[in-house]
Amino acid sequence: MSKKILFLALSGVLIAALAAGAGYVAGNLNTPQHVAEKSAATQETPPGDISYTGKTPGFVVKRVFPDFDELSPKSANGIQLLVYDLQHDATTEGSPRYTHQVFKAVDSLGAQQLGQYFISFDPSFQRAEINHLTITRDGEISDRSEGFTITYAQREELAEFSILTGHTTGIIRIDDIRPGDILDIGVTIIGEPPRFGRKHSDIFPASSGAEIGLFSLTSTWPGPIKTSPVLSGVTPTKTQKGEDTVLEINPQPLTAIETSELVRAPFSLNGSIMVSDFGSWKNIVEWATDDYRPTQAEELQSIAQKITLDHDSASARAVAALRFVQNEIRYSASLFGNGGYTPQTVDETLRSRAGDCKAKALLLVSLLDMLGFEAHAALANTTDGIYLDYYPPTPLAFDHVIVRFSVDGRHYWADPTLLYQAGDLASMAQPNYGHALVLEPYSVGLTEMGDATTTPAPITEIREFFDLSKGASEGLADVVFIYRRDAANLMRAALNAISEEEFVKNFSNYYKRYGDVEILEQKVSDEPENNQIDIAMKMTLSKPFDAPDKENKRYFEYKAHAITQILLLKPDDDPLIRLPILQQPHAKHVVQISLPEGITWRLPPEEETISNDTFFFSYSYSADSKMLTFESNLKTKAISVEPKQYDQLVQDDDALQDAIDRNIWFRKNTSQEASTDRLIIENVVNAPKLPPMPAIESE
């Protein structure tokens, strides 16, 4: 979403962004010098321009700050951020946003950094004003209104993903900056996305990555507002002034946000506050629904007719429609102006055979509707989907559009931007971004996404057979990796990017922990109709056991590596917010180990389960005179864990990791050592650890 990106760009005006100029691609290098005489009236500055006004906007409340010498925040990259005052007025046309910042160059690096100041904006609907620019040196204040130039540049960081934001950066180049100088600058950005109509939404910082001497915020809104929680940083006060609502943070020192606080709340808005006057999710549905109503198009009718003729069942037709949009329409996004919120027409998408998530969603909804299915676009967030209920109702909460459709009374989720998808309705992967806002009649709130597929087969299944009949001298491994649904799609994408030989080699690298690996046989098979990919390998292992320890024991480590840790993040303190679950919905791992005849096993059968509100895990051992079998199964019940469940989940996750990490060891039976090479084999839990096992390289 363009305004969300805008906020991130504007945040870069702080210390870190001051050092980022080298990577920009120069645009208009002939911009004339801006001088104080240029018009100060905001309405006379057209969108897409930066002007110098020499005047502070009328809505700005003048703040009285102490002498800058009295402020001493910790410096970063040679710069101290002494003052950061942010004032915003949504009651004024264009919803202007005024930023007053004061920086001090504490050394030569800081002086170099302060020579460039960045203003990022969307020129299709925004403009920028420099309200004042001064330098203080040895106590003397000098007006630099005629001592700077502006260079316009564009930096499309997402261009390699076919995403163009259209954002422009004005690089303010300031002459003669020396160590000890203090830069005092005021800038106003004016303009909101036209698609917002008479509604408003914005994001403001509540913390910083660097210390700030004094931070303050005033934001005025025309009526009631809703806000996101402030998880880290300063929570503003909210007061009513007549019909207006004012958010305010009085000037105060701001410490740098700690990494631990981000781990406790891995939420994009952590350290920020999002504000909206849209009122309710129902209002967002009404705001967006008209853009995604099914559209009739002549070519679309031809496509629907062909799908109907080629496929007999309703489920097959629905899948064929999805595959057409995924595979025949190239992904390409231009987020200029309303392009961040409004899809292009179905006719344009079919003509160009290209479109972004909005265009693809509208096309799929229209095609499914023409085929007789109920289908609706749904707004989603690919990174913060599990946290959408923390957001205030706002278009800024979403960065993606998908589709929900129904077949035989059952709902299915579809992401028309995904590639390398396969399978029927039962085996295809469905996206699960946590929550989505379905644009259908009577929709009043967020919907928790779920997977309607009923197949009990694991998403990832690994079967390993180790032949250790030759003891420590050599081993054989016969392994099969089985991937289904979304895991199969990821493997299919990897196979499309690299050769099969390189692909298999990445998997075989995992077994280098057992010495040199020689692949004897390999086979990769893809079953698109079942959405399953199998990777099979037979290998020799030169050193399956490690060197003997002090007790003459030699260990062979094996692990159910199809099963990963449950939590991606484990903060030291209690989490401030629910945490994402890393593990996929269902994983299975079977290990079988064969040893020479006559081996004595000291291994009783063993079974154990771990169950909680988040996952169910089971494992079992069995052994006979020839074979040890270890089987593990994990099924997750949720995609996140609430703070109140966190402590128990950490304990259960630790127990799970212990259960899947095993060893066997052997040594000569000392009582029979002179007459026989008979071995004693035991299964050992928590034996001395070998070096960490690296992740499978399967990109």
Side-chain angles (χ1 to χ4, degrees):
M1 291 298 183
S2 59
K3 196 158 186 183
K4 189 172 184 179
I5 297 172
L6 170 65
F7 167 71
L8 297 175
L10 287 174
S11 298
V13 174
L14 292 174
I15 305 279
L18 290 172
Y24 284 85
V25 178
N28 178 10
L29 301 179
N30 299 313
T31 304
Q33 181 171 305
H34 288 62
V35 296
E37 287 76 20
K38 191 159 184 179
S39 171
T42 60
Q43 63 270 22
E44 295 180 18
T45 305
D49 194 15
I50 298 177
S51 65
Y52 180 85
T53 67
K55 294 183 179 180
T56 302
F59 72 89
V60 173
V61 176
K62 183 176 177 58
R63 304 217 192 259
V64 178
F65 297 107
D67 291 339
F68 296 146
D69 291 339
E70 299 178 15
L71 303 175
S72 57
K74 185 180 297 183
S75 64
N77 295 324
I79 296 176
Q80 290 178 316
L81 180 50
L82 305 178
V83 170
Y84 184 11
D85 177 34
L86 181 57
Q87 300 192 38
H88 160 259
D89 188 2
T91 67
T92 299
E93 183 177 357
S95 197
R97 179 176 175 136
Y98 170 77
T99 300
H100 175 201
Q101 292 175 305
V102 181
F103 302 94
K104 182 176 182 178
V106 299
D107 54 26
S108 57
L109 173 61
Q112 179 179 335
Q113 305 281 20
L114 284 188
Q116 297 184 122
Y117 184 92
F118 301 96
I119 303 174
S120 182
F121 62 102
D122 186 330
S124 66
F125 63 87
Q126 289 182 318
R127 59 184 179 272
E129 298 175 348
I130 301 174
N131 306 114
H132 70 267
L133 176 56
T134 66
I135 294 292
T136 300
R137 180 179 298 160
D138 298 328
E140 297 292 327
I141 300 175
S142 63
D143 183 359
R144 291 296 184 90
S145 60
E146 298 186 11
F148 70 90
T149 57
I150 303 176
T151 299
Y152 292 96
Q154 278 191 296
R155 187 182 188 182
E156 294 289 359
E157 295 181 338
L158 302 177
E160 64 180 299
F161 302 106
S162 298
I163 299 175
L164 302 177
T165 66
H167 280 270
T168 293
T169 298
I171 306 173
I172 314 303
R173 302 185 185 279
I174 308 167
D175 297 332
D176 188 20
I177 301 292
R178 306 176 189 178
D181 284 357
I182 295 175
L183 168 66
D184 190 329
I185 187 169
V187 174
T188 304
I189 305 290
I190 306 103
E192 283 194 300
R195 184 64 182 83
F196 278 20
R198 303 180 69 84
K199 293 296 184 179
H200 313 274
S201 189
D202 215 328
I203 310 172
F204 304 102
S207 65
S208 172
E211 286 189 14
I212 302 176
L214 289 175
F215 172 75
S216 51
L217 167 69
T218 299
S219 179
T220 304
W221 296 75
I225 58 173
K226 292 185 177 181
T227 64
S228 61
V230 177
L231 301 175
S232 302
V234 184
T235 300
T237 60
K238 183 191 297 186
T239 58
Q240 294 298 129
K241 293 186 178 180
E243 296 183 355
D244 298 340
T245 303
V246 179
L247 289 177
E248 194 159 20
I249 297 175
N250 290 323
Q252 58 188 278
L254 202 60
T255 58
I257 188 171
E258 298 289 340
T259 303
S260 60
E261 293 299 296
L262 298 176
V263 174
R264 293 177 68 195
F267 176 40
S268 292
L269 291 180
N270 190 7
S272 304
I273 180 169
M274 179 178 281
V275 189
S276 173
D277 64 5
F278 275 80
S280 68
W281 293 116
K282 180 176 182 294
N283 289 341
I284 302 297
V285 171
E286 294 174 352
W287 172 82
T289 295
D290 284 345
D291 291 332
Y292 296 95
R293 295 193 187 280
T295 300
Q296 301 291 320
E298 185 175 344
E299 184 179 355
L300 199 62
Q301 291 176 350
S302 299
I303 295 169
Q305 289 172 0
K306 186 177 186 308
I307 289 175
T308 302
L309 291 173
D310 291 346
H311 302 277
D312 295 331
S313 67
S315 61
R317 291 170 183 168
V319 172
L322 173 59
R323 298 290 179 256
F324 170 79
V325 179
Q326 288 176 330
N327 300 331
E328 300 299 325
I329 305 299
R330 177 176 58 87
Y331 182 85
S332 178
S334 296
L335 306 181
F336 309 156
N338 280 336
Y341 302 96
T342 304
Q344 67 187 19
T345 66
V346 167
D347 283 331
E348 175 60 22
T349 302
L350 290 174
R351 183 200 65 78
S352 63
R353 285 298 193 268
D356 61 6
C357 63
K358 299 181 295 298
K360 281 177 161 254
L362 175 58
L363 177 59
L364 180 57
V365 166
S366 300
L367 182 54
L368 288 170
D369 178 76
M370 194 167 288
L371 290 167
F373 299 103
E374 180 183 356
H376 302 281
L379 307 182
N381 188 313
T382 56
T383 56
D384 271 355
I386 65 172
Y387 305 123
L388 276 182
D389 52 336
Y390 288 87
Y391 278 79
T394 169
L396 299 185
F398 307 102
D399 64 4
H400 199 40
V401 184
I402 57 177
V403 172
R404 192 180 75 171
F405 64 94
S406 300
V407 178
D408 297 330
R410 172 171 285 177
H411 292 310
Y412 296 87
W413 299 98
D415 187 337
T417 68
L418 298 179
L419 295 175
Y420 309 110
Q421 310 293 289
D424 56 18
L425 281 182
S427 61
M428 75 175 191
Q430 296 189 58
N432 189 348
Y433 300 127
H435 296 89
L437 186 65
V438 183
L439 304 180
E440 63 179 343
Y442 313 113
S443 177
V444 297
L446 299 169
T447 298
E448 287 194 26
M449 299 179 66
D451 195 334
T453 54
T454 57
T455 174
I459 305 298
T460 296
E461 182 175 357
I462 300 177
R463 296 182 174 273
E464 295 175 311
F465 170 69
F466 295 100
D467 182 352
L468 305 181
S469 59
K470 295 183 179 180
S473 61
E474 185 181 67
L476 294 173
D478 191 343
V479 302
V480 180
F481 293 77
I482 304 171
Y483 295 101
R484 302 180 178 93
R485 290 161 56 186
D486 50 352
N489 296 336
L490 290 173
M491 293 301 113
R492 197 172 291 113
L495 277 166
N496 186 73
I498 61 178
S499 68
E500 181 177 312
E501 182 180 1
E502 185 178 1
F503 180 78
V504 173
K505 183 179 179 181
N506 284 334
F507 281 83
S508 68
N509 285 341
Y510 175 82
Y511 296 93
K512 287 184 177 179
R513 72 196 71 253
Y514 303 125
D516 295 332
V517 174
E518 181 183 356
I519 300 177
L520 304 177
E521 298 179 25
Q522 67 180 54
K523 182 181 180 181
V524 178
S525 58
D526 188 355
E527 301 176 25
E529 64 279 4
N530 298 320
N531 198 16
Q532 177 174 318
I533 288 182
D534 297 353
I535 302 105
M537 296 178 291
K538 290 185 178 180
M539 301 166 284
T540 59
L541 312 174
S542 65
K543 296 179 181 179
F545 290 87
D546 66 333
D549 64 8
K550 294 180 180 179
E551 298 180 359
N552 202 31
K553 294 179 180 180
R554 308 191 71 162
Y555 287 92
F556 173 78
E557 181 181 86
Y558 60 101
K559 182 174 184 176
H561 51 88
I563 297 171
T564 61
Q565 65 187 54
I566 298 295
L567 286 169
L568 177 63
L569 300 170
K570 290 185 178 181
D572 295 332
D573 298 321
D574 289 340
L576 302 172
I577 198 172
R578 67 178 70 104
L579 297 177
I581 297 302
L582 178 64
Q583 178 64 46
Q584 56 195 328
H586 187 184
K588 180 179 180 179
H589 199 122
V590 178
V591 179
Q592 292 184 304
I593 302 174
S594 175
L595 296 158
E597 293 185 5
I599 294 301
T600 300
W601 289 92
R602 296 178 179 177
L603 174 65
E606 180 181 346
E607 293 184 2
E608 186 173 334
T609 62
I610 303 173
S611 183
N612 52 48
D613 292 337
T614 306
F615 70 87
F616 174 84
F617 170 73
S618 65
Y619 74 89
S620 64
Y621 281 106
S622 62
D624 55 28
S625 60
K626 296 182 179 180
M627 189 83 68
L628 163 70
T629 300
F630 173 46
E631 179 172 329
S632 299
N633 277 277
L634 177 66
K635 296 182 179 181
T636 56
K637 307 174 185 178
I639 63 172
S640 62
V641 57
E642 297 294 337
K644 64 181 180 181
Q645 303 168 323
Y646 174 73
D647 289 340
Q648 183 62 51
L649 183 62
V650 169
Q651 294 179 29
D652 290 344
D653 194 8
D654 290 343
L656 183 155
Q657 300 308 314
D658 287 340
I660 65 175
D661 194 357
R662 298 286 174 139
N663 299 268
I664 62 172
W665 61 265
F666 79 92
R667 67 181 174 189
K668 291 181 179 180
N669 186 334
T670 54
S671 64
Q672 299 179 1
E673 186 174 4
S675 59
T676 180
D677 287 332
R678 183 184 181 201
L679 304 178
I680 295 178
I681 304 294
E682 292 191 351
N683 188 73
V684 182
V685 180
N686 296 329
K689 296 295 182 180
L690 298 179
M693 304 175 74
I696 297 175
E697 299 175 14
S698 57
E699 61 181 5

